[in-house]
Structures are given as C-alpha cells and as structure tokens.
C-alpha cells in the first residue's frame, strides 16, 4: 500500500507494518492507520473523484487497501444527504442535513466497516470471518461476506432484534445467539477466534474497520461540496463510528480538501453512556449497565473508547445523553418531517441534536449534519410500541366516516 505508512498504537506509539490481519498492539492498545498524505495529495484530486463509482471505494487513495484489491460486490456507501429544512426549522438551526446511512445494502452504516473487513480478509487469504455484534455489524458482515463468497461465524447477544437475526439467517451465517449481554458475547467470540484463527471483524480490534467507517464523513464533505457544517451528530456505542468520522475529517483537512473541522456531537443513551460520562466528568471511562432499547448502542464496555474520547476532545465536541422516550420521539419526528425511518440507535444523534437545541447549546446561527446510522425496519417492535397502531375497521365506508370524524382528521 503506497498510501499507507504503518499502523501505530494509540496508547504506546509502537509501530507495526500494515499487514492485512493486524489486530491490537502487544500492550493491548488499539492501532491507528497512518497515511502518507504527500503521496495521497499527489494522487487524488477533487476532479478525479467526479469520475469514480458511487460507492465507498471511490476514496481508494484514502483507504488502507492494496492497489489491486478488488472493490467488494455490494454497493456500500454514497447514501443520500438530505436537506432537512422543515426539521431544521423545528429544531431551530440555520441549516440541517440528514445523512441516511440506513440505505446501505444491509441497512446500516456498519456495511462500511464490513466491506472493508471483506476486502482485508481477501488480502489475507482468509475463508472465514467472525465477529461479535449487537446486531448490525453481524448482519452487515454476513451480507458482505456472502456476496464475496466468504463464510461467517457470528456471535450476537440474545436480545438482538428479530430483523437483524432474520438478515443473518438469510445470508447463511453460522449464528451463535449468546445467553448473556454484549460484553459476554464479545468474550465468547474472542475465545472462538483465538481457537480457530478466523479473520477477526471485531469492532476496534481490527484497525481497518474504522477506516471503512470514515467514508461516511468523506461522503458528507463531498456531498456538501467540501463546505463543512458547524456540528456533526452521531450516536456512539463502541466508539468506532465517531472515531472513524473524525479520522475521515482529519484526512480531508490534511490533504487540503476542507478548511474547517466540524465539532462532533456524541449522542448516547441515558441508560448507557460510558463514553459521554468520561468526557463530562473528565475521567477515564468506566463500564456501565446496558439499559436502553437502542440495542446498537447498548455497549457498557466500549471497545474503542480511547479513539472515541480523543476524537470528541480534539474536535472540541459536545456530549449529550437522551432517554429512550426522547429517542423514540426523534424516530417519529424524523418519520413525520423527513420520511426517514431510523432504528432507535440510528436516530439517537438526531435526538441528541434536538436536545442540545432545546438547551440552547446549539442555535439559530449553527449548521449541522445528523447521521442516521441504521434503518427502522431492523426493529419494528419498538416502532409500533411507540408510534401506535393503525385504525382497525371493517370494509364499511360509514364506519370509516365515523372514525375519521371521531379522530377529527382533516380530509382535505
Ligand atoms: C454500531 C452502531 C452505532 C454505533 O457505532 P459504534 O462504532 O459502536 O460507536 C450507532 N448506530 C447504529 C445503528 C449502529 O449499528
Ligand atoms: Zn501499544
């Protein structure tokens, strides 16, 4: 890889050759991929990008793959960035955009990391990839691997929503539903990966994954014609996404594609916010219980806390915790004002942004992008619980007229 110099431990600084099956440093620290920005500057221009395919692989020079590694088969990335004027007005910001990453092939932002895992597993010559996941990393890995002809072993906690499990079974993964929480699920996957030597797609352990995830911020920048907003809101679980988002922004800044870095908004659930608590109290992070229905961010032991905390601090970021009711209210608000259906964790960034607007932290002069990280169809049970049931009527126009009258609905 001519664009990559090496991998460096974020804890002790030790450097490693960027081989395809890198995991963590001998000291236990997470590795970060270090690029040769001079090489990238000389080889990538904004003009060149205009001719590239509309997938995450359009940013090859900024990604840690060999020049001859093929693009992965599914169309990952280039999700729409919507101008959400009506919602922006309701929240009270100058301008708001929504990046709908629920429109990826397996319906979450995790496809970006899983496509990268598949590309690197191919480079490593692996036949089987494994991971533990709250659900989306699992289904995205199963789908992207199936498309590329690789097999998967997937570990999910028993509470994973049915929609995600259905995806796993459909994609033909070997699925282990672990009787325990995410922490215990992770530990079993780790033991199994050690035993059988499968390619490791565990969040944070594999340093290439957040490089895949960073393509979401590369796209946001390009879709905004390289003019960055004041804030970028994202929901946080393990912390790989927010760390990746920040890495992408710093890459673009380093090669001179953008001249401003947005402040990150780290949104977590009130019932599980170890990353935000560490920032708010300016202390090292500590484990928390996993008390939220936003299953994808119910992460009591964040695997990438070091990178996430650094990203939030470096960006002069803002942390915000939202209750499950606030999350579900944001789901409905996004649905009614934007026609976008996000899963609970997918709308937590927007819920956080709304709360910060109400608190006056963000206001009339500010611009923001909120990333919807996963599709609402993944978890229909909670959506129906909070958004209610339809009118249930027989095939009878009089009954319909009466019901519409009773509800006071406008018919014109
Ligand atoms: C995984 C996930 C997140 C959080 O990403 P982390 O890297 O774990 O912080 C947010 N939303 C959705 C829908 C996810 O699947
Ligand atoms: Zn180290």
């Amino acid at each position: 890889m001519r664009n990559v110099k090496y991998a460096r431990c974020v804890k002790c600084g030790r450097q490693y050759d960027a081989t395809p099956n890198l995991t963590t440093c001998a000291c236990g620290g997470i590795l970060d991929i270090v690029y040769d920005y001079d090489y990238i500057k000389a080889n990538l221009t904004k003009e060149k990008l205009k001719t590239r395919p509309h997938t995450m692989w359009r940013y090859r020079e900024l990604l840690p793959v060999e020049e001859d590694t093929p693009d992965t088969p599914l169309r990952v990335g280039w999700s729409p960035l919507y101008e959400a004027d009506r919602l922006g007005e309701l929240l009270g910001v100058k301008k708001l955009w929504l990046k709908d990453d629920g429109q990826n092939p397996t319906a979450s932002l995790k496809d970006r990391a899983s496509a990268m895992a598949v590309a690197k597993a191919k480079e490593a010559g692996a036949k089987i990839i494994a991971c533990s996941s709250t659900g989306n990393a699992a289904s995205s890995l199963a789908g992207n691997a199936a498309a590329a002809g690789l097999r998967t072993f997937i570990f999910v906690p028993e509470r994973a929503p049915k929609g995600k499990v259905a995806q796993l079974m459909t994609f033909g993964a070997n699925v282990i539903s672990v009787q325990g929480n995410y922490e215990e699920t992770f530990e079993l996957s780790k033991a199994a990966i050690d035993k059988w030597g499968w390619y490791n797609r565990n969040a944070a352990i594999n340093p290439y994954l957040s490089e895949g995830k960073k393509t979401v911020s590369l796209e946001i920048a390009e879709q905004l014609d390289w003019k960055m907003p004041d804030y970028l809101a994202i929901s946080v679980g393990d912390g790989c996404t927010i760390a990746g988002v920040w890495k992408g922004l710093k890459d673009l800044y380093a090669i001179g594609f953008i001249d401003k870095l947005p402040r990150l908004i780290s949104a977590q659930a009130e019932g599980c916010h170890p990353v935000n608590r560490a920032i708010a109290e300016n202390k090292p992070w500590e484990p928390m219980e996993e008390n939220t229905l936003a299953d994808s961010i119910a992460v009591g032991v964040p695997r990438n806390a070091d990178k996430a905390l650094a990203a939030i601090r470096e960006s002069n970021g803002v942390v915000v915790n939202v209750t499950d009711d606030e999350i579900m209210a944001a789901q409905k608000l996004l649905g009614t004002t934007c026609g976008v259906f996000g899963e609970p964790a997918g709308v937590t960034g927007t819920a956080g942004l709304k709360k910060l607007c109400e608190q006056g932290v963000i206001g009339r002069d500010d611009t923001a992008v909120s990333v919807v990280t996963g599709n609402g169809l993944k978890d229909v049970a909670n959506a129906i619980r909070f958004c209610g049931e339809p009118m249930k009527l027989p095939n009878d126009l009089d009954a319909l007229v009466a019901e519409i009258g009773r509800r006071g609905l406008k018919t014109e």
Side-chain angles (χ1 to χ4, degrees):
M1 294 183 282
R2 290 163 69 194
N3 57 339
V4 170
K5 287 185 172 168
Y6 45 79
R8 181 174 57 205
C9 173
V10 297
K11 241 191 197 142
C12 74
R14 188 165 157 189
Q15 294 177 6
Y16 293 83
D17 285 343
T19 52
N21 36 29
L22 270 187
T23 54
T24 46
C25 179
C27 84
I30 310 260
L31 301 183
D32 186 38
I33 306 298
V34 178
Y35 291 90
D36 179 346
Y37 289 125
D38 291 330
Y39 174 84
I40 296 169
K41 258 189 194 165
N43 286 278
L44 183 65
T45 63
K46 293 177 181 177
E47 269 316 298
K48 242 187 198 173
L49 280 175
K50 291 185 179 148
T51 64
R52 301 270 175 96
H54 286 125
T55 75
M56 62 180 261
W57 298 112
R58 66 197 275 103
Y59 304 108
R60 250 173 191 278
E61 287 85 349
L62 288 163
L63 296 174
V65 286
E66 299 291 347
E67 286 75 12
D68 59 355
T69 299
D71 289 6
T72 50
L74 296 179
R75 189 277 308 153
V76 176
W78 208 254
S79 59
L81 184 78
Y82 295 127
E83 294 184 30
D85 290 346
R86 221 155 341 121
L87 180 58
E89 207 165 298
L90 270 172
L91 299 193
V93 290
K94 190 157 108 195
K95 187 86 193 161
L96 174 67
W97 293 269
L98 284 183
K99 176 76 167 160
D100 185 9
D101 244 43
Q103 291 199 38
N104 276 304
T106 76
S108 83
L109 190 149
K110 294 289 194 298
D111 278 330
R112 299 176 185 275
S114 291
M116 179 60 72
V118 165
K120 297 308 285 183
K122 289 255 171 179
E123 285 180 7
K127 301 247 165 5
I128 296 180
I129 316 184
C131 79
S132 73
S133 157
T134 56
N136 283 334
S139 55
S140 70
L141 178 61
N144 281 277
L150 295 173
R151 282 179 293 134
T152 49
F153 277 83
I154 308 268
F155 299 77
V156 289
E158 56 190 338
R159 68 171 152 74
K162 285 224 157 42
K164 300 179 185 181
V165 177
Q167 286 182 299
L168 289 173
M169 302 317 291
T170 304
F171 295 139
N174 297 295
V175 187
I176 301 99
S177 171
V178 180
Q179 291 154 0
N181 62 12
Y182 175 48
E183 163 68 3
E184 290 162 311
T185 306
F186 185 93
E187 293 304 332
L188 181 59
S189 78
K190 186 170 175 299
I193 290 168
D194 286 348
K195 178 168 173 57
W196 282 290
W198 299 324
Y199 191 81
N200 191 334
R201 186 248 178 266
N202 270 341
I205 303 299
N206 180 327
Y208 297 112
L209 304 178
S210 62
E211 300 298 317
K213 284 186 167 185
K214 82 182 178 189
T215 56
V216 72
S217 57
L218 305 181
E219 287 172 18
I220 290 169
E222 189 177 0
Q223 288 168 319
L224 289 175
D225 199 21
W226 314 106
K227 294 179 205 55
M228 299 313 291
D230 299 314
Y231 292 93
L232 203 159
I234 193 103
S235 52
V236 174
D238 273 312
C240 303
T241 310
I242 198 164
V245 161
W246 185 239
K247 178 76 176 284
L249 294 170
K250 285 200 301 184
D251 284 350
L252 293 177
Y253 193 84
I255 61 169
F257 276 31
I258 59 174
D259 56 13
K260 163 183 169 170
L261 292 165
R263 296 175 68 180
L264 298 176
I265 296 172
S266 166
Q268 291 204 289
E270 194 69 60
C272 188
H273 59 276
V275 172
N276 283 0
R277 182 170 69 181
I279 297 279
E281 298 178 1
N282 200 20
K283 287 204 296 230
W285 71 272
E286 281 172 30
M288 270 187 101
E289 283 189 38
E290 299 172 352
N291 287 325
T292 172
L293 57 71
D295 60 288
S296 306
I297 53 166
V299 181
V301 179
R303 297 288 155 186
N304 214 346
D306 287 343
K307 273 194 195 176
L309 292 170
I312 299 165
R313 292 199 172 108
E314 274 176 44
S315 82
N316 191 21
V318 186
V319 299
V320 58
N321 304 319
V322 285
T323 64
D324 283 358
D325 281 346
E326 287 168 330
I327 290 171
M328 297 315 287
Q331 181 184 60
K332 179 132 197 212
L333 189 62
L334 275 170
T336 52
T337 61
C338 304
V340 169
F341 185 19
E343 67 167 276
V347 303
T348 300
T350 309
L353 182 65
K354 178 167 183 282
K355 194 162 188 174
L356 292 171
C357 289
E358 286 160 3
Q359 293 172 345
V361 178
I362 292 175
R364 280 269 153 232
D365 297 330
D366 296 318
T367 60
V369 170
S370 186
V371 183
V372 177
T373 48
N375 192 292
L377 290 173
K378 299 238 181 200
D379 178 8
V380 289
N382 277 312
I384 289 172
R385 194 144 69 84
F386 281 81
C387 295
E389 296 279 347
M391 294 180 242
K392 285 182 180 148
L393 291 173
N395 176 12
D396 177 352
L397 184 61
D398 291 339
L400 176 60
V401 171
E403 182 65 21
I404 284 178
R406 202 177 61 73
R407 293 179 181 238
L409 300 180
K410 287 188 211 149
T411 51
E412 54 190 49

